[in-house]
Amino acid sequence: MTLPTSTFLLARGGIGNIVKTFIWWIVYDICVTGISDALGVSRMVALLIFLGVMLLIGFLGYVFKQKASGAADD
């Protein structure tokens, strides 16, 4: 006996993953379009700015995490 596709997707979290993916695309599109419109640059340049900001946030999070874990050892 095989499960219908919709039941299989619901059981595996497939619908939730699809919705999450669409939300990420929408947030990405809004951010890149907003940067592009605000700065008057092309979408490619706006994408690079967006990725640079995300890398900076990730790096700062890593640095703060390392400092906090180092202080816990003292």
Side-chain angles (χ1 to χ4, degrees), residues 37-57:
D37 290 343
L39 299 178
V41 295
S42 69
R43 286 181 58 88
M44 181 60 77
V45 173
L47 174 63
L48 293 174
I49 292 169
F50 177 74
L51 292 176
V53 169
M54 292 295 108
L55 284 171
L56 180 65
I57 290 171

PDB file of all heavy atoms in Angstrom, residues 37-57:
ATOM      1  N   ASP A  37      16.980  49.568  -5.386  1.00  0.00           N
ATOM      2  CA  ASP A  37      16.235  50.817  -5.554  1.00  0.00           C
ATOM      3  C   ASP A  37      16.819  51.945  -4.705  1.00  0.00           C
ATOM      4  O   ASP A  37      16.909  53.089  -5.154  1.00  0.00           O
ATOM      5  CB  ASP A  37      14.762  50.614  -5.189  1.00  0.00           C
ATOM      6  CG  ASP A  37      14.032  49.743  -6.195  1.00  0.00           C
ATOM      7  OD1 ASP A  37      14.548  49.558  -7.314  1.00  0.00           O
ATOM      8  OD2 ASP A  37      12.944  49.234  -5.846  1.00  0.00           O
ATOM      9  N   ALA A  38      17.206  51.629  -3.478  1.00  0.00           N
ATOM     10  CA  ALA A  38      17.699  52.665  -2.572  1.00  0.00           C
ATOM     11  C   ALA A  38      19.034  53.243  -3.021  1.00  0.00           C
ATOM     12  O   ALA A  38      19.266  54.448  -2.925  1.00  0.00           O
ATOM     13  CB  ALA A  38      17.828  52.105  -1.161  1.00  0.00           C
ATOM     14  N   LEU A  39      19.911  52.372  -3.517  1.00  0.00           N
ATOM     15  CA  LEU A  39      21.242  52.834  -3.903  1.00  0.00           C
ATOM     16  C   LEU A  39      21.362  53.136  -5.384  1.00  0.00           C
ATOM     17  O   LEU A  39      22.386  53.669  -5.832  1.00  0.00           O
ATOM     18  CB  LEU A  39      22.297  51.790  -3.504  1.00  0.00           C
ATOM     19  CG  LEU A  39      22.394  51.472  -2.009  1.00  0.00           C
ATOM     20  CD1 LEU A  39      23.439  50.403  -1.767  1.00  0.00           C
ATOM     21  CD2 LEU A  39      22.710  52.730  -1.217  1.00  0.00           C
ATOM     22  N   GLY A  40      20.351  52.752  -6.162  1.00  0.00           N
ATOM     23  CA  GLY A  40      20.383  53.015  -7.596  1.00  0.00           C
ATOM     24  C   GLY A  40      21.414  52.174  -8.331  1.00  0.00           C
ATOM     25  O   GLY A  40      22.017  52.643  -9.294  1.00  0.00           O
ATOM     26  N   VAL A  41      21.622  50.950  -7.875  1.00  0.00           N
ATOM     27  CA  VAL A  41      22.585  50.059  -8.518  1.00  0.00           C
ATOM     28  C   VAL A  41      21.829  48.896  -9.151  1.00  0.00           C
ATOM     29  O   VAL A  41      20.642  48.707  -8.931  1.00  0.00           O
ATOM     30  CB  VAL A  41      23.624  49.534  -7.494  1.00  0.00           C
ATOM     31  CG1 VAL A  41      24.464  50.674  -6.960  1.00  0.00           C
ATOM     32  CG2 VAL A  41      22.948  48.795  -6.349  1.00  0.00           C
ATOM     33  N   SER A  42      22.558  48.094  -9.934  1.00  0.00           N
ATOM     34  CA  SER A  42      21.918  46.938 -10.558  1.00  0.00           C
ATOM     35  C   SER A  42      21.628  45.873  -9.500  1.00  0.00           C
ATOM     36  O   SER A  42      22.160  45.905  -8.390  1.00  0.00           O
ATOM     37  CB  SER A  42      22.828  46.358 -11.645  1.00  0.00           C
ATOM     38  OG  SER A  42      23.970  45.754 -11.055  1.00  0.00           O
ATOM     39  N   ARG A  43      20.790  44.902  -9.874  1.00  0.00           N
ATOM     40  CA  ARG A  43      20.445  43.827  -8.936  1.00  0.00           C
ATOM     41  C   ARG A  43      21.664  42.966  -8.600  1.00  0.00           C
ATOM     42  O   ARG A  43      21.755  42.440  -7.502  1.00  0.00           O
ATOM     43  CB  ARG A  43      19.317  42.973  -9.501  1.00  0.00           C
ATOM     44  CG  ARG A  43      17.974  43.680  -9.439  1.00  0.00           C
ATOM     45  CD  ARG A  43      16.855  42.833  -9.977  1.00  0.00           C
ATOM     46  NE  ARG A  43      16.679  41.562  -9.315  1.00  0.00           N
ATOM     47  CZ  ARG A  43      15.916  41.365  -8.233  1.00  0.00           C
ATOM     48  NH1 ARG A  43      15.263  42.380  -7.718  1.00  0.00           N
ATOM     49  NH2 ARG A  43      15.806  40.171  -7.701  1.00  0.00           N
ATOM     50  N   MET A  44      22.596  42.820  -9.527  1.00  0.00           N
ATOM     51  CA  MET A  44      23.799  42.030  -9.259  1.00  0.00           C
ATOM     52  C   MET A  44      24.647  42.702  -8.192  1.00  0.00           C
ATOM     53  O   MET A  44      25.131  42.046  -7.269  1.00  0.00           O
ATOM     54  CB  MET A  44      24.611  41.841 -10.542  1.00  0.00           C
ATOM     55  CG  MET A  44      25.862  41.012 -10.329  1.00  0.00           C
ATOM     56  SD  MET A  44      25.531  39.353  -9.718  1.00  0.00           S
ATOM     57  CE  MET A  44      24.976  38.568 -11.187  1.00  0.00           C
ATOM     58  N   VAL A  45      24.824  43.999  -8.292  1.00  0.00           N
ATOM     59  CA  VAL A  45      25.584  44.733  -7.273  1.00  0.00           C
ATOM     60  C   VAL A  45      24.839  44.681  -5.944  1.00  0.00           C
ATOM     61  O   VAL A  45      25.449  44.485  -4.890  1.00  0.00           O
ATOM     62  CB  VAL A  45      25.837  46.189  -7.724  1.00  0.00           C
ATOM     63  CG1 VAL A  45      26.478  47.003  -6.616  1.00  0.00           C
ATOM     64  CG2 VAL A  45      26.696  46.211  -8.969  1.00  0.00           C
ATOM     65  N   ALA A  46      23.525  44.822  -5.994  1.00  0.00           N
ATOM     66  CA  ALA A  46      22.720  44.739  -4.773  1.00  0.00           C
ATOM     67  C   ALA A  46      22.846  43.348  -4.146  1.00  0.00           C
ATOM     68  O   ALA A  46      22.902  43.224  -2.922  1.00  0.00           O
ATOM     69  CB  ALA A  46      21.267  45.062  -5.071  1.00  0.00           C
ATOM     70  N   LEU A  47      22.886  42.307  -4.979  1.00  0.00           N
ATOM     71  CA  LEU A  47      23.071  40.949  -4.463  1.00  0.00           C
ATOM     72  C   LEU A  47      24.414  40.816  -3.767  1.00  0.00           C
ATOM     73  O   LEU A  47      24.511  40.228  -2.682  1.00  0.00           O
ATOM     74  CB  LEU A  47      22.961  39.935  -5.603  1.00  0.00           C
ATOM     75  CG  LEU A  47      23.275  38.487  -5.247  1.00  0.00           C
ATOM     76  CD1 LEU A  47      22.286  37.958  -4.225  1.00  0.00           C
ATOM     77  CD2 LEU A  47      23.287  37.637  -6.492  1.00  0.00           C
ATOM     78  N   LEU A  48      25.457  41.363  -4.363  1.00  0.00           N
ATOM     79  CA  LEU A  48      26.784  41.293  -3.739  1.00  0.00           C
ATOM     80  C   LEU A  48      26.814  42.067  -2.417  1.00  0.00           C
ATOM     81  O   LEU A  48      27.431  41.622  -1.448  1.00  0.00           O
ATOM     82  CB  LEU A  48      27.838  41.828  -4.702  1.00  0.00           C
ATOM     83  CG  LEU A  48      28.060  40.973  -5.955  1.00  0.00           C
ATOM     84  CD1 LEU A  48      29.022  41.673  -6.903  1.00  0.00           C
ATOM     85  CD2 LEU A  48      28.544  39.586  -5.595  1.00  0.00           C
ATOM     86  N   ILE A  49      26.142  43.210  -2.373  1.00  0.00           N
ATOM     87  CA  ILE A  49      26.052  43.975  -1.123  1.00  0.00           C
ATOM     88  C   ILE A  49      25.303  43.163  -0.077  1.00  0.00           C
ATOM     89  O   ILE A  49      25.728  43.066   1.082  1.00  0.00           O
ATOM     90  CB  ILE A  49      25.372  45.335  -1.365  1.00  0.00           C
ATOM     91  CG1 ILE A  49      26.261  46.226  -2.224  1.00  0.00           C
ATOM     92  CG2 ILE A  49      25.020  46.019  -0.050  1.00  0.00           C
ATOM     93  CD1 ILE A  49      25.588  47.480  -2.734  1.00  0.00           C
ATOM     94  N   PHE A  50      24.188  42.552  -0.479  1.00  0.00           N
ATOM     95  CA  PHE A  50      23.388  41.730   0.434  1.00  0.00           C
ATOM     96  C   PHE A  50      24.219  40.567   0.983  1.00  0.00           C
ATOM     97  O   PHE A  50      24.224  40.314   2.191  1.00  0.00           O
ATOM     98  CB  PHE A  50      22.151  41.215  -0.308  1.00  0.00           C
ATOM     99  CG  PHE A  50      21.283  40.292   0.493  1.00  0.00           C
ATOM    100  CD1 PHE A  50      20.471  40.782   1.498  1.00  0.00           C
ATOM    101  CD2 PHE A  50      21.270  38.932   0.240  1.00  0.00           C
ATOM    102  CE1 PHE A  50      19.659  39.936   2.238  1.00  0.00           C
ATOM    103  CE2 PHE A  50      20.469  38.081   0.969  1.00  0.00           C
ATOM    104  CZ  PHE A  50      19.661  38.580   1.967  1.00  0.00           C
ATOM    105  N   LEU A  51      24.928  39.874   0.116  1.00  0.00           N
ATOM    106  CA  LEU A  51      25.764  38.755   0.566  1.00  0.00           C
ATOM    107  C   LEU A  51      26.904  39.231   1.465  1.00  0.00           C
ATOM    108  O   LEU A  51      27.255  38.563   2.437  1.00  0.00           O
ATOM    109  CB  LEU A  51      26.312  37.993  -0.641  1.00  0.00           C
ATOM    110  CG  LEU A  51      25.275  37.227  -1.453  1.00  0.00           C
ATOM    111  CD1 LEU A  51      25.933  36.608  -2.681  1.00  0.00           C
ATOM    112  CD2 LEU A  51      24.593  36.167  -0.612  1.00  0.00           C
ATOM    113  N   GLY A  52      27.461  40.398   1.160  1.00  0.00           N
ATOM    114  CA  GLY A  52      28.508  40.963   2.008  1.00  0.00           C
ATOM    115  C   GLY A  52      27.998  41.283   3.402  1.00  0.00           C
ATOM    116  O   GLY A  52      28.674  41.007   4.407  1.00  0.00           O
ATOM    117  N   VAL A  53      26.800  41.832   3.479  1.00  0.00           N
ATOM    118  CA  VAL A  53      26.197  42.136   4.782  1.00  0.00           C
ATOM    119  C   VAL A  53      25.936  40.833   5.549  1.00  0.00           C
ATOM    120  O   VAL A  53      26.198  40.746   6.753  1.00  0.00           O
ATOM    121  CB  VAL A  53      24.907  42.964   4.612  1.00  0.00           C
ATOM    122  CG1 VAL A  53      24.123  43.052   5.904  1.00  0.00           C
ATOM    123  CG2 VAL A  53      25.240  44.354   4.095  1.00  0.00           C
ATOM    124  N   MET A  54      25.449  39.803   4.854  1.00  0.00           N
ATOM    125  CA  MET A  54      25.194  38.511   5.515  1.00  0.00           C
ATOM    126  C   MET A  54      26.500  37.886   6.020  1.00  0.00           C
ATOM    127  O   MET A  54      26.545  37.342   7.133  1.00  0.00           O
ATOM    128  CB  MET A  54      24.497  37.535   4.555  1.00  0.00           C
ATOM    129  CG  MET A  54      23.094  37.915   4.177  1.00  0.00           C
ATOM    130  SD  MET A  54      21.970  37.889   5.584  1.00  0.00           S
ATOM    131  CE  MET A  54      21.705  39.613   5.842  1.00  0.00           C
ATOM    132  N   LEU A  55      27.568  37.981   5.228  1.00  0.00           N
ATOM    133  CA  LEU A  55      28.870  37.473   5.674  1.00  0.00           C
ATOM    134  C   LEU A  55      29.384  38.251   6.878  1.00  0.00           C
ATOM    135  O   LEU A  55      29.940  37.660   7.815  1.00  0.00           O
ATOM    136  CB  LEU A  55      29.881  37.542   4.533  1.00  0.00           C
ATOM    137  CG  LEU A  55      29.740  36.485   3.455  1.00  0.00           C
ATOM    138  CD1 LEU A  55      30.669  36.797   2.280  1.00  0.00           C
ATOM    139  CD2 LEU A  55      30.034  35.108   4.010  1.00  0.00           C
ATOM    140  N   LEU A  56      29.197  39.564   6.863  1.00  0.00           N
ATOM    141  CA  LEU A  56      29.633  40.392   7.992  1.00  0.00           C
ATOM    142  C   LEU A  56      28.870  40.027   9.258  1.00  0.00           C
ATOM    143  O   LEU A  56      29.475  39.886  10.334  1.00  0.00           O
ATOM    144  CB  LEU A  56      29.437  41.874   7.659  1.00  0.00           C
ATOM    145  CG  LEU A  56      29.846  42.863   8.748  1.00  0.00           C
ATOM    146  CD1 LEU A  56      31.355  42.783   8.983  1.00  0.00           C
ATOM    147  CD2 LEU A  56      29.444  44.271   8.361  1.00  0.00           C
ATOM    148  N   ILE A  57      27.566  39.837   9.148  1.00  0.00           N
ATOM    149  CA  ILE A  57      26.767  39.443  10.302  1.00  0.00           C
ATOM    150  C   ILE A  57      27.215  38.084  10.828  1.00  0.00           C
ATOM    151  O   ILE A  57      27.364  37.882  12.039  1.00  0.00           O
ATOM    152  CB  ILE A  57      25.259  39.441   9.947  1.00  0.00           C
ATOM    153  CG1 ILE A  57      24.769  40.872   9.739  1.00  0.00           C
ATOM    154  CG2 ILE A  57      24.433  38.739  11.026  1.00  0.00           C
ATOM    155  CD1 ILE A  57      23.376  40.974   9.172  1.00  0.00           C
TER     156      ILE A  57
END
